Amino acid sequence: MLFVRLHSQGILIDEIFWGLWLFPFGLLVFRSGFLPRFIGVWLMINCFGYVALSITALFFPVTTKPRSNGAAGLFGELAIMLWLVIKGAKVGCSKHASTGDGWSCLSLGR
């Protein structure tokens, strides 16, 4: 039973790192221009949400309620996934001398 408890505590510690990686990812999305800026901001908000929920569950396990109390703000990952699947990233055309007409567009198989 001890190892089962340790496993759940380890998952909570992992969730802190899962949240921390969202800040640089959100910053890259915000600065890039390939994706909407609001998704980048949403991912950075997710970073703090994951870290706060994980630290709360780790240090106050008795008072922690199910994860639904703060999960409403954690949909940034879902938003970027759906945006990429449905709409895709903005890919522009650039001028190259190697093509016949002087323009080359990245088509990504379309």
Side-chain angles (χ1 to χ4, degrees):
M1 197 64 177
L2 172 71
F3 291 113
V4 172
R5 262 180 122 186
L6 285 176
H7 176 72
S8 66
Q9 297 296 321
I11 294 296
L12 288 173
I13 293 169
D14 284 344
E15 285 180 5
I16 293 172
F17 292 105
W18 294 340
L20 287 175
W21 84 272
L22 289 174
F23 189 80
F25 183 44
L27 192 61
L28 286 172
V29 168
F30 184 79
R31 289 184 180 176
S32 73
F34 287 112
L35 299 165
R37 288 182 167 221
F38 76 90
I39 293 180
V41 172
W42 204 352
L43 287 170
M44 289 186 272
I45 291 170
N46 274 4
C47 165
F48 298 113
Y50 263 115
V51 172
L53 286 175
S54 300
I55 288 176
T56 303
L58 189 63
F59 290 121
F60 307 110
V62 177
T63 60
T64 304
K65 292 183 181 179
R67 297 262 175 163
S68 62
N69 58 359
L74 299 179
F75 289 119
E77 290 175 301
L78 180 67
I80 195 164
M81 178 194 66
L82 290 175
W83 187 275
L84 289 172
V85 167
I86 295 169
K87 188 129 179 174
K90 286 190 283 186
V91 180
C93 296
S94 61
K95 188 166 181 141
H96 292 286
S98 63
T99 59
D101 59 356
W103 288 93
S104 173
C105 294
L106 298 174
S107 63
L108 299 177
R110 294 181 196 171

